[in-house]
């Protein structure tokens, strides 16, 4: 018992950092209405600037096209380095709000969330470009003394970090309860229109809250650089436990958020000790610490799901226009012919890039269904595809083709459906929190488990064979084999036709009704919970099919490329292409890392530059072109022909709610 208590106390330092990020999430949400997935990236920039100043005396700025590193002579002390780092962090946060967040104040919640995902990708790429893909550990800031605790040496710097966060939390509580700024922020959150009538400026309040929240996280990030160090990516993964703590606090209570975050950090430390001592089954040796925030998030949604504040219900916002996805024979035929021509290219690099694009496009179709049609923002579709691939590596060794892939798809669909059950109690971006935590759990628990992955951490898939005919990626002395490419094209087109059929049928209209207004949909006789679960099941099925494509394409693979971080980029590609249409999924597939556009046009595979351009493009699309690249033509046509013709996209889906009921309505007529 004493050992468990020791490791629980050892985890309070990490829990304190979770708490700071949770407070930042709460402040940002109540001040600007954004569930900020970029809180870790915004804290990472000033932390890395601080570490460079302390270690090398270099001022490094997250910029492009101008020099980013300036030698100021010698390493700085704590106070001047912290002052410079906080100034840089405040400028970055202010620019982010003015350029990205403020223009999206009336945007759909999914667009605001996607914008923060784009910010995360962009800031991470800028950090890699400026600092390198390294972990920086600054000289000690907190006292380094140790005390004897249960016969072990316990570093007291964890307790000092916790004390720092507790003091900051007290400042936050006092600020929002006793100052005019705090009262104005609370009034604007409850009733924005009323606040405007009282003479308040919600946009300016949002800026102040955004900078305050980012500065709070940056302070703790700077102080914590001497503990675990800071890299372009590690702070971003702190978002999951921070969101769990924020949800446990119902996005409102600062003390509860701090207690929940510290408890998560303590339980994670205990879990790490249990794994290190091999006191858990072999399956869990990949790591069970990520289960703790996941359980907290699920518990918070089950208990408080229907009472969690939802600013989207307070501030009326439009929805991203949806394409009707009419089957234009010439467009579909031309696209398929183009794909066949590419698959017949003599250059194997081009053929493999086409396979990568088709895999990503198929996977993006699942995002189109769940996020575009139903309005549930999922960040776990890539994880479901990976789960299906690993399942195929197991089933494929005992079941003949096609029973092996069918079994893998079936199991993955069931798992995806079970994960969607919390959707019955939440709406919109809150579901994104669940799915992102699911992606982290899959990454840590499944894809790193030697039992699940296989011997040596690598899974192997036997090529598909029918009647002795090899249909795998290696065949007839070719790599990749053209026959495998044709098969992948058939799978992609089949999934696309399934999505078209669903979108134009009664189920698709129910999806859009629920997406538009759940209460109105329920009043029209639609079972909202069943509809959302049906959407998640269909999306999981398509993701599982993409996972089978991934497994047969790679033949030997591990968890690389299936991390939660890559799930963020997948959503970015979906939104870049156009999250409401099949054409958008195809566009996203072409723009994928190692996809056809990158290889054939840019002449290379994935790079940090493409990572940066993806994040930047996502932000621009979210702010200026919410229909994505695929919707640019329709957007221009609507602006030109609006006086004389109706648009081909559904801009006001609320009207559909009253035409979709349990019985056949007007839209069901031929």
């Amino acid at each position: 018992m004493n050992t468990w208590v020791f490791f629980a106390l050892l985890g309070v330092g990490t829990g304190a950092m979770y708490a700071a990020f949770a407070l930042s999430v709460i402040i940002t949400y109540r001040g600007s209405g954004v569930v900020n997935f970029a809180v870790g990236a915004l804290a990472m920039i000033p932390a890395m600037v601080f570490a460079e100043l302390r270690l090398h005396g270099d001022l490094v700025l997250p910029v492009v096209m101008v020099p980013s590193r300036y030698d100021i002579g010698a390493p700085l002390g704590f106070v001047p380095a912290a002052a410079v780092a906080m100034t840089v962090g405040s400028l970055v946060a202010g620019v982010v709000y003015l350029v990205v967040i403020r223009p999206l104040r009336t945007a759909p919640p999914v667009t605001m969330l996607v914008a923060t995902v784009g910010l995360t990708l962009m800031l991470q790429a800028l950090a890699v470009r400026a600092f390198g893909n390294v972990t920086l550990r600054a000289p000690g800031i907190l006292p380094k003394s140790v005390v004897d605790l249960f016969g072990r040496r316990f570093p007291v710097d964890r307790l000092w970090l916790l004390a720092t966060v507790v003091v900051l939390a007290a400042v936050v509580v006092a600020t929002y309860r006793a100052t005019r700024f705090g009262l104005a922020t609370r009034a604007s959150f409850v009733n924005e229109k009323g606040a405007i009538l009282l003479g308040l400026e919600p946009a300016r309040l949002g800026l102040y809250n955004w900078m305050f929240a980012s500065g709070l996280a940056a302070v703790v990030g700077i102080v914590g650089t001497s503990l675990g160090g800071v890299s372009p990516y590690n702070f971003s993964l702190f978002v999951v436990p921070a969101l769990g703590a924020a949800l446990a606090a119902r996005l409102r209570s600062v003390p509860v958020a701090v207690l929940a975050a510290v408890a998560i950090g303590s339980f994670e430390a205990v879990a790490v000790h249990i794994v290190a001592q091999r006191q858990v089954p072999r399956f869990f040796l990949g790591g069970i610490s990520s289960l703790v925030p996941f359980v907290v998030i699920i518990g918070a949604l089950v208990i408080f799901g229907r009472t969690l504040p939802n600013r989207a219900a307070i501030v009326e916002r439009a929805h991203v226009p949806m394409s009707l996805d009419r089957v234009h024979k010439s467009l579909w035929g031309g696209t398929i012919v183009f794909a066949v021509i590419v698959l017949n290219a003599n250059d194997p690099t081009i053929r493999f890039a086409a396979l990568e694009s088709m895999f990503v496009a198929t996977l993006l179709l699942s995002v189109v269904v769940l996020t575009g049609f139903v309005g549930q923002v999922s960040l776990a579709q890539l994880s479901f595809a990976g789960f299906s691939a690993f399942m195929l590596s197991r089933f494929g060794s005992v079941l003949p083709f096609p029973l092996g892939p069918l079994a893998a798809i079936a199991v993955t669909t069931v798992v995806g459906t079970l994960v969607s059950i919390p959707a019955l109690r939440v709406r919109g971006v809150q579901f994104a929190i669940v799915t992102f935590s699911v992606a982290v759990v899959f990454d840590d628990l499944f894809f790193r488990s030697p039992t699940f992955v296989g011997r040596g951490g690598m899974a192997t898939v036997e090529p598909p064979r029918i009647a002795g005919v090899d249909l795998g990626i290696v065949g007839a002395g070719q790599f990749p084999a053209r026959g495998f490419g044709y098969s992948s094209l058939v799978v992609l087109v089949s999934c696309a036709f399934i999505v078209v059929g669903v979108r134009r049928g009664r189920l698709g209209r129910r999806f859009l009704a629920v997406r538009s207004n759940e209460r109105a949909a329920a009043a029209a006789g639609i079972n909202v919970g069943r509809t959302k679960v049906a959407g998640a099941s269909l999306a999981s099925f398509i993701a599982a099919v993409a996972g089978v494509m991934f497994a047969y394409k790679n033949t030997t693979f591990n968890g690389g490329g299936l991390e939660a971080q890559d799930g963020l980029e997948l959503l970015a590609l979906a939104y870049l292409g156009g999250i409401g249409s099949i054409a958008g999924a195809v566009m996203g597939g072409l723009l994928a890392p190692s996809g056809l556009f990158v290889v054939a046009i840019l002449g290379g595979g994935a790079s940090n530059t493409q990572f940066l351009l993806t994040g930047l493009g996502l932000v621009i699309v979210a702010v200026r072109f919410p229909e994505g690249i695929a919707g640019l033509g329709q957007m221009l046509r609507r602006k030109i022909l609006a006086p004389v013709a109706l648009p081909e996209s559904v801009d006001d889906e609320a009207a559909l709610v009253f035409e979709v009921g349990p019985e056949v309505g007007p839209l069901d007529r031929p």
Side-chain angles (χ1 to χ4, degrees):
M1 178 61 71
N2 290 343
T3 300
W4 286 28
V5 173
F6 174 83
F7 279 95
L9 290 174
L10 202 61
V12 299
T14 304
M17 298 193 70
Y18 295 163
F21 287 6
L23 295 182
S24 181
V25 168
I26 292 174
I27 294 171
T28 302
Y29 181 77
R30 301 188 75 84
S32 59
V34 180
V35 178
N36 185 16
F37 271 67
V39 59
L42 287 169
M44 172 268 298
I45 294 294
M48 296 199 78
V49 170
F50 170 82
E52 280 285 356
L53 288 170
R54 292 279 282 158
L55 290 170
H56 308 115
D58 291 343
L59 174 60
V60 183
L61 302 176
V63 294
V64 293
M65 296 188 296
V66 295
S68 60
R69 185 176 292 266
Y70 302 89
D71 185 0
I72 59 177
L76 297 184
F78 167 71
V79 174
V84 173
M86 289 298 298
T87 300
V88 172
S90 298
L91 290 175
V92 171
V95 170
V96 163
Y97 181 84
L98 294 175
V99 175
V100 179
I101 303 302
R102 182 172 179 175
L104 294 176
R105 284 178 49 77
T106 58
V110 61
T111 302
M112 301 183 75
L113 171 66
V114 165
T116 65
V117 171
L119 287 172
T120 300
L121 299 176
M122 188 170 62
L123 292 174
Q124 288 174 341
L126 287 172
V128 172
R129 190 182 186 91
F131 301 95
N133 192 6
V134 296
T135 298
L136 301 177
R137 192 187 301 269
I141 301 169
L142 302 172
K144 285 295 185 181
S145 59
V146 296
V147 297
D148 184 77
L149 184 63
F150 304 125
R152 299 171 182 265
R153 295 168 61 85
F154 181 82
V156 298
D157 53 2
R158 272 71 174 168
L159 300 179
W160 279 101
L161 182 58
L162 176 61
T164 302
V165 172
V166 170
V167 171
L168 291 174
V171 171
V172 170
V173 171
T175 300
Y176 285 93
R177 288 186 179 179
T179 66
R180 189 174 185 276
F181 164 72
L183 295 176
T185 298
R186 293 166 63 187
S188 179
F189 176 79
V190 173
N191 191 328
E192 187 169 300
K193 294 179 180 178
I196 294 174
L197 293 176
L198 290 175
L200 301 177
E201 298 183 51
R204 181 175 296 180
L205 288 171
L207 172 63
Y208 296 156
N209 279 280
W210 189 272
M211 296 182 67
F212 181 34
S214 300
L216 186 148
V219 167
V220 178
I222 289 173
V223 174
T225 53
S226 60
L227 297 181
V230 57
S231 75
Y233 301 105
N234 64 345
F235 277 13
S236 295
L237 294 179
F238 288 1
V239 172
V240 174
L243 289 171
L247 283 179
R250 301 172 68 182
L251 293 170
R252 181 169 58 194
S253 174
V254 169
V256 173
V258 173
L259 290 174
V262 173
I264 290 174
S266 296
F267 280 118
E268 284 185 348
V270 172
V272 170
H273 170 68
I274 292 175
V275 171
Q277 297 297 315
R278 294 184 175 271
Q279 296 176 354
V280 294
R282 186 171 181 271
F283 181 84
F284 293 100
L285 292 181
I288 61 174
S289 58
S290 59
L291 279 176
V292 179
F294 173 72
V295 171
V296 172
I297 289 172
I298 296 300
L301 292 176
V302 169
I303 299 172
F304 306 123
R306 296 188 184 278
T307 60
L308 285 173
N310 188 349
R311 190 182 177 96
I314 300 172
V315 181
E316 184 177 354
R317 292 169 175 162
H319 288 276
V320 178
M322 298 292 301
S323 169
L324 292 177
D325 278 325
R326 295 174 179 172
V327 181
H328 298 283
K329 295 181 180 179
S330 58
L331 180 61
W332 279 68
T335 303
I336 294 174
V337 169
F338 172 76
V340 171
I341 293 174
V342 172
L343 291 173
N344 273 292
N346 292 325
D347 188 348
T349 304
I350 296 295
R351 297 203 303 272
F352 193 83
L355 290 176
E356 180 69 16
S357 289
M358 287 190 288
F359 155 66
V360 175
T362 305
L363 186 54
L364 291 181
L365 288 175
S366 71
V367 181
V368 169
V369 170
L370 191 54
T371 303
F373 293 176
V374 188
Q376 297 288 74
V377 184
S378 175
L379 298 173
Q381 299 308 110
L382 180 62
S383 298
F384 293 146
F387 186 86
S388 175
F390 282 114
M391 285 289 97
L392 178 59
S393 70
R394 294 309 180 90
F395 288 126
S397 61
V398 295
L399 295 175
F401 183 85
L403 296 182
L406 290 177
I409 292 171
V411 171
T412 305
T413 303
V414 171
V415 171
T417 302
L418 293 176
V419 169
S420 72
I421 290 178
L424 299 176
R425 301 184 64 84
V426 296
R427 297 190 298 274
V429 297
Q430 293 167 358
F431 190 62
I433 300 174
V434 178
T435 54
F436 192 52
S437 65
V438 167
V440 173
V441 169
F442 273 56
D443 185 16
D444 291 346
L445 187 61
F446 290 101
F447 301 159
R448 298 175 190 236
S449 170
T451 301
F452 184 81
V453 174
R455 182 177 301 176
M458 298 293 292
T460 302
V461 173
E462 295 295 327
R465 291 185 177 87
I466 294 182
V469 179
D470 192 345
L471 301 177
I473 193 170
V474 180
Q478 298 175 346
F479 181 86
R482 291 182 172 85
F484 181 80
Y486 301 147
S487 301
S488 299
L489 179 60
V490 169
V491 171
L492 171 59
V493 173
S494 299
C495 290
F497 271 110
I498 291 174
V499 174
V500 169
V502 169
R503 168 62 188 86
R504 300 190 63 80
R506 292 184 62 190
L507 181 59
R509 293 192 288 273
R510 292 174 188 274
F511 284 164
L512 293 185
V514 170
R515 172 183 182 265
S516 177
N517 191 314
E518 290 187 17
R519 292 187 177 92
I526 297 174
N527 188 317
V528 173
R530 188 181 300 169
T531 301
K532 290 198 287 187
V533 171
S537 299
L538 177 59
S540 300
F541 169 79
I542 297 175
V545 172
V548 169
M549 295 173 63
F550 171 84
Y552 283 136
K553 176 175 67 72
N554 291 75
T555 65
T556 302
F557 53 91
N558 55 20
L562 301 172
E563 293 89 351
Q565 178 68 33
D566 296 305
L568 296 179
E569 189 170 4
L570 181 72
L571 181 65
L573 290 173
Y575 213 89
L576 270 175
I579 206 165
S581 68
I582 293 173
V586 175
M587 289 287 185
L590 293 174
L591 296 172
S594 302
L596 191 59
F597 178 82
V598 174
V599 173
I601 305 300
L602 301 183
S607 66
N608 184 66
T609 301
Q610 193 208 357
F611 200 52
L612 173 61
L613 293 177
T614 299
L616 179 61
L618 178 58
V619 170
I620 294 174
V621 167
V623 174
R624 302 297 301 174
F625 312 107
E627 295 177 62
I629 297 173
L632 286 177
Q634 286 191 2
M635 184 185 70
L636 294 174
R637 187 164 63 250
R638 282 201 305 273
K639 289 186 176 182
I640 296 173
L641 302 179
V644 296
L646 291 175
E648 291 188 9
S649 64
V650 182
D651 290 323
D652 186 8
E653 295 151 7
L656 291 177
V657 174
F658 303 102
E659 299 178 352
V660 184
E663 303 300 330
V664 176
L667 291 183
D668 291 306
R669 297 169 185 164

